[in-house]
């Protein structure tokens, strides 16, 4: 192993993962479990489907359809203990700088802490700061929602465009879609993220500039895509409004940690909503980055969402690991990633409003745990973050489920469903939920050749119609997709990611892997725009692509 390069942290006292006793025991144990079928596990324990469930904060998790035994669970929980998960959770909630590469605390949990709590960062209680910003957001949201905040020509705001990318986009757009039922239908919300000009052009094509408010959301306020879109938005506004520079103050607000850059852009910092370096971009949808969410659903519902987050934070912080939903979810994903060679994990919400939830989770999970170096700076010798992907049900059933049912890969699935529909129409909801239960049943138990034959299938067709089964899944059931329920669901996955990252001993809170591409793009932009033929110093493929693009665009 390479020499450690990171500064020492409490976590570095823990043995390398593959040297941990529970890990070694799991390696041996996995050999036995791999041969076991879920049919056998259920047949041997008639109460398994009731036993392997847990409920907290209004979320019900059925994890019985996983390829685990009681011994697997015992060992996974032991792994969590031996990995120092308890200490690391405490360290996060205490505001310790567990993001060691950026020397930052990791305190998204402070964003939803009640007013009377105290969480210290460098000796300062940050909870009052959080509530100050929430109050400022509330006052602003109320003014926009009741028409008091008017645009340059005195008209109320009807269109709200959030400009941001990554965590400054995916959370807001996901939450807007998820909570659309609770949103003001007379306000139009659009989200611009891509530097592809089409994104901006399509977002505003039917908007009047004097009724449009832009929220420029960027933690750093230097992100290429966001700043390019923000400048384009300003040009569009000024063009549509007769060039009055003073209109910018009425049509632009900012959400950022960088007041200097906000002011440079021309946004009055009185109209800036702040947050802090201890909020990671992908953990920021409940900070001021959620301003568009608050404008859509109103301050009261936004606070209900925060309360949902907080309930799961408290559960994660205090519940014993064997009844701790995020811990169990995290451990199960480690089980499949490291002991079953599962490459991916599917997120399957049976709730149309959660259509952007898998995309949101992709950043949360993969930017967090897509790491190959431990906190001590050593290269891992095990697999870390799986690929998260998914689509809402039942649509996925008619496209990619075939591969999960009868392909050659193991794809653990998380099914997410709600008991009540926000749009109860005839039989729709029973049909939807019947599909959730049917899919998890089919995945787990499949269909044997005997069963297929008994249906009168000709022999030659039997192999094609057999379902191997033994495909694991979790089912997460909640009552109804309310703002609070959304907060709970997001917090569940945030802490699941934390659990995974702790076991894998990686820093789930930095993202150095996105830097190289960004830097190279900055070098290539002038090469594409240069009036004269630039001297190119890339590899032959990149040089050739640049030359071809330059030639064809002429
Ligand atoms: O993609 C890298 C990243 O830094 C994300 O982590 C972040 O959410 C996104 O870019 C946007 O950053 P910012 O909010 O600073 O514009």
């Amino acid at each position: 192993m390479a020499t450690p390069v990171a500064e020492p942290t409490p976590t570095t006292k823990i043995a390398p993962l593959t040297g941990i006793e529970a890990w070694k025991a799991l390696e041996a144990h996995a050999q036995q479990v791999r041969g076991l079928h879920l049919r056998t596990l259920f047949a041997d324990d008639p109460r398994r489907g009731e036993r392997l469930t847990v409920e907290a904060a209004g979320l019900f998790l059925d994890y019985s359809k996983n390829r685990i035994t009681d011994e697997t669970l015992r060992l996974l929980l032991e792994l969590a203990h031996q990995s120092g998960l308890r200490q690391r959770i405490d360290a996060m909630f205490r505001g310790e700088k567990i993001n060691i590469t950026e020397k930052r605390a990791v305190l998204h949990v402070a964003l939803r802490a009640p007013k009377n709590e105290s969480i210290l960062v460098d000796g300062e209680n940050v909870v009052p700061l959080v509530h100050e910003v929430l109050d400022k957001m509330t006052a602003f949201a109320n003014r926009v929602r009741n028409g008091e905040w008017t645009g340059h020509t005195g008209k109320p705001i009807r269109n709200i465009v959030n400009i941001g990318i990554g965590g400054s986009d995916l959370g807001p757009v996901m939450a807007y879609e998820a909570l659309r039922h609770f949103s003001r239908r007379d306000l139009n919300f659009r989200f611009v993220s891509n530097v592809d000009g089409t994104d901006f052009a399509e977002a505003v094509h039917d908007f009047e500039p004097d009724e449009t408010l832009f929220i420029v959301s960027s933690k750093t306020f230097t992100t290429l895509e966001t700043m390019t879109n923000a400048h384009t938005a300003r040009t569009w506004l000024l063009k549509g409004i007769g060039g009055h520079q003073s209109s910018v103050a009425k049509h632009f607000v900012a959400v950022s940690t960088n007041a200097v850059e906000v002011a440079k852009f021309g946004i009055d910092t009185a109209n800036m909503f702040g947050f802090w370096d201890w909020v990671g971009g992908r953990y920021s949808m409940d900070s001021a980055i959620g301003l568009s969410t608050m404008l859509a659903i109103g301050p009261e519902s936004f606070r209900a969402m925060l309360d949902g987050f907080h309930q799961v934070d408290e559960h994660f912080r205090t519940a014993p690991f064997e009844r701790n939903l995020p811990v169990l979810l995290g451990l199960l994903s480690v089980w499949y990633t490291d002991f079953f060679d599962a490459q991916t994990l599917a997120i399957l919400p049976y709730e149309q409003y959660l259509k952007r939830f898998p995309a949101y989770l992709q950043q949360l999970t993969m930017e967090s745990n897509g790491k190959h170096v431990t906190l001590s700076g050593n290269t891992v010798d095990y697999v870390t973050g799986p690929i998260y992907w998914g689509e809402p049900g039942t649509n996925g059933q008619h496209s990619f489920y075939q591969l999960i049912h009868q392909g050659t890969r193991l794809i653990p699935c998380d099914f997410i469903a709600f008991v009540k529909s926000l749009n109860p129409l005839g039989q729709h909801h029973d049909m939807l939920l019947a599909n959730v239960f049917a899919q998890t049943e089919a995945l787990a138990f499949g269909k044997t050749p005997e069963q297929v034959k008994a249906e009168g299938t000709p022999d030659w067709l039997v192999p094609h119609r057999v379902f191997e089964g033994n495909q694991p899944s979790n089912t997460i059931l909640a009552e109804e997709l309310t703002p609070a329920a959304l907060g709970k669901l997001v917090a569940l996955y945030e802490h699941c990611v934390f659990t995974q990252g702790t076991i894998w001993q990686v820093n789930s809170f930095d993202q150095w892997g996105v830097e190289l591409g960004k830097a190279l793009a900055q070098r290539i932009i002038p090469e594409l725009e240069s009036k004269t033929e630039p001297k190119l110093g890339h590899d032959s493929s990149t040089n050739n692509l640049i030359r071809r693009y330059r030639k064809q665009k002429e």
Side-chain angles (χ1 to χ4, degrees):
M1 246 181 212
T3 318
V5 290
E7 292 183 10
T9 69
T11 318
T12 55
K13 287 193 198 123
I14 287 163
L17 178 56
T18 49
I20 289 178
E21 284 309 313
W23 181 271
K24 289 193 258 177
L26 277 162
E27 278 176 325
H29 172 74
Q31 308 281 1
Q32 298 152 17
V33 177
R34 268 189 226 119
L36 281 177
H37 200 290
L38 280 164
R39 284 182 207 127
T40 317
L41 291 170
F42 272 83
D44 289 352
D45 175 7
R47 289 199 57 251
R48 182 180 171 95
E50 291 142 52
R51 224 166 40 80
L52 301 190
T53 64
V54 56
E55 187 167 10
L59 296 176
F60 176 79
L61 168 67
D62 175 350
Y63 62 100
S64 63
K65 293 190 183 95
N66 278 293
R67 293 171 64 174
I68 54 170
T69 64
D70 288 352
E71 177 64 0
T72 319
L73 267 179
R74 191 187 68 74
L75 290 173
L76 286 171
L77 292 167
E78 198 48 45
L79 177 66
H81 289 297
Q82 291 177 12
S83 297
L85 180 60
R86 170 64 55 212
Q87 294 87 322
R88 205 160 157 80
I89 293 173
D90 291 345
M92 171 171 73
F93 277 84
R94 264 199 312 270
E96 273 181 36
K97 297 194 175 166
I98 60 170
N99 174 358
I100 56 159
T101 61
E102 296 178 312
K103 295 189 165 55
R104 289 175 182 167
V106 173
L107 273 182
H108 40 280
V109 292
L111 298 170
R112 49 265 191 159
K115 240 181 186 155
N116 56 355
E117 274 191 20
S118 168
I119 301 176
L120 303 181
V121 177
D122 293 327
E124 184 185 17
N125 181 8
V126 297
V127 179
L129 308 181
V130 166
H131 284 269
E132 223 172 86
V133 174
L134 273 175
D135 291 345
K136 185 172 170 181
M137 289 164 67
T138 301
F140 174 73
N142 283 336
R143 286 183 69 196
V144 173
R145 284 166 63 89
N146 65 25
E148 209 182 294
W149 178 288
T150 52
H152 181 69
T153 59
K155 287 196 202 160
I157 297 299
R158 291 185 52 227
N159 314 314
I160 291 151
V161 182
N162 184 77
I163 298 179
I165 198 163
S168 301
D169 167 70
L170 286 162
V173 71
M174 181 279 286
Y176 171 68
E177 292 294 346
L179 301 176
R180 223 183 169 133
H181 184 80
F182 303 87
S183 74
R184 276 273 296 268
R185 302 295 181 140
D186 57 339
L187 294 174
N188 301 306
F189 288 84
R190 303 266 164 86
F191 298 83
V192 176
S193 52
N194 200 333
V195 79
D196 182 339
T198 299
D199 205 9
F200 180 82
E202 285 295 336
V204 299
H205 84 280
D206 53 348
F207 284 177
E208 293 299 332
D210 62 348
E211 297 175 334
T212 303
L213 175 77
F214 292 98
I215 306 174
V216 185
S217 296
S218 175
K219 182 174 170 182
T220 53
F221 228 74
T222 55
T223 305
L224 172 86
E225 292 89 340
T226 302
M227 296 329 294
T228 305
N229 280 319
H231 281 103
T232 301
R234 190 170 57 186
T235 307
W236 176 83
L237 171 84
L238 291 175
K239 190 167 167 231
I241 244 163
H244 298 283
Q245 289 291 340
S246 59
S247 62
V248 173
K250 299 232 165 191
H251 293 272
F252 278 83
V253 296
V255 180
S256 187
T257 57
N258 190 345
V260 174
E261 287 299 323
V262 169
K264 263 197 217 158
F265 180 84
I267 296 177
D268 185 349
T269 47
N271 298 330
M272 168 182 156
F273 301 85
F275 60 117
W276 307 271
D277 70 358
W278 41 261
V279 182
R282 53 194 174 273
Y283 297 88
S284 68
M285 61 166 275
D286 47 340
S287 70
I289 289 290
L291 186 62
S292 58
T293 314
M294 189 189 269
L295 284 163
I297 64 173
E300 218 172 287
S301 295
F302 192 84
R303 283 175 200 254
M305 181 181 81
L306 296 184
D307 183 58
F309 271 102
H310 181 65
Q311 285 184 46
V312 171
D313 293 344
E314 281 306 282
H315 166 73
F316 180 54
R317 191 175 68 81
T318 59
F321 289 168
E322 63 274 18
R323 281 191 279 117
N324 197 311
L325 272 81
V327 171
L328 289 169
L329 270 192
L331 291 173
L332 287 165
S333 54
V334 169
W335 174 239
Y336 294 118
T337 303
D338 293 293
F339 300 100
F340 281 75
D341 289 335
Q343 302 289 317
T344 80
L345 208 152
I347 301 291
L348 308 168
Y350 278 65
E351 168 55 75
Q352 187 61 20
Y353 284 124
L354 287 182
K355 65 180 181 190
R356 297 287 288 162
F357 194 63
Y360 168 76
L361 279 192
Q362 286 188 324
Q363 188 200 13
L364 181 68
T365 57
M366 298 202 270
E367 202 168 72
S368 295
N369 287 336
K371 310 284 163 67
H372 73 287
V373 168
T374 66
L375 289 160
S376 315
N378 296 318
T379 302
V380 299
D381 49 3
Y382 44 86
V383 178
T384 63
I387 297 156
Y388 276 76
W389 59 286
E391 278 289 322
T394 55
N395 298 21
Q397 291 174 207
H398 296 271
S399 71
F400 55 80
Y401 277 40
Q402 164 65 35
L403 184 145
I404 312 180
H405 282 292
Q406 283 191 314
T408 53
R409 293 169 194 277
L410 180 87
I411 302 180
C413 302
D414 284 359
F415 287 82
I416 302 169
F418 297 86
V419 173
K420 291 185 193 158
S421 170
L422 291 164
N423 296 294
L425 292 177
Q427 272 186 293
H428 282 255
H429 203 61
D430 285 343
M431 285 182 180
L432 180 71
L433 271 282
N435 274 282
V436 177
F437 305 145
Q439 287 300 325
T440 69
E441 188 177 6
L443 286 168
F445 302 104
K447 206 178 206 183
T448 62
E450 293 70 36
Q451 287 171 313
V452 177
K453 271 186 207 153
E455 287 169 352
T457 310
D459 281 355
W460 66 268
L461 193 53
V462 170
H464 299 274
R465 299 195 58 178
V466 166
F467 287 65
E468 191 62 38
N470 220 11
Q471 289 285 353
S473 67
N474 292 306
T475 304
I476 299 163
L477 264 185
E479 192 185 345
E480 194 172 36
L481 180 53
T482 57
L486 182 69
K488 290 173 191 180
L489 207 51
V490 173
L492 171 69
Y493 279 98
E494 284 177 346
H495 300 319
C496 163
V497 165
F498 185 95
T499 302
Q500 296 171 335
T502 301
I503 303 293
W504 289 321
Q505 302 186 357
V506 298
N507 182 1
S508 306
F509 306 104
D510 61 11
Q511 57 285 320
W512 301 104
V514 300
E515 296 303 325
L516 178 59
K518 280 189 198 173
L520 287 176
Q522 289 293 359
R523 180 174 150 203
I524 294 174
I525 291 167
E527 293 171 346
L528 301 186
E529 291 184 331
S530 163
K531 293 273 174 281
T532 55
E533 199 57 37
K535 199 167 166 302
L536 299 176
H538 306 274
D539 59 276
S540 60
S541 159
T542 311
N543 286 346
N544 192 37
L545 288 166
I546 292 171
R547 283 192 199 108
R548 189 178 174 85
Y549 172 78
R550 282 181 57 86
K551 200 156 165 233
Q552 286 197 345
K553 79 170 182 163
E554 280 156 18

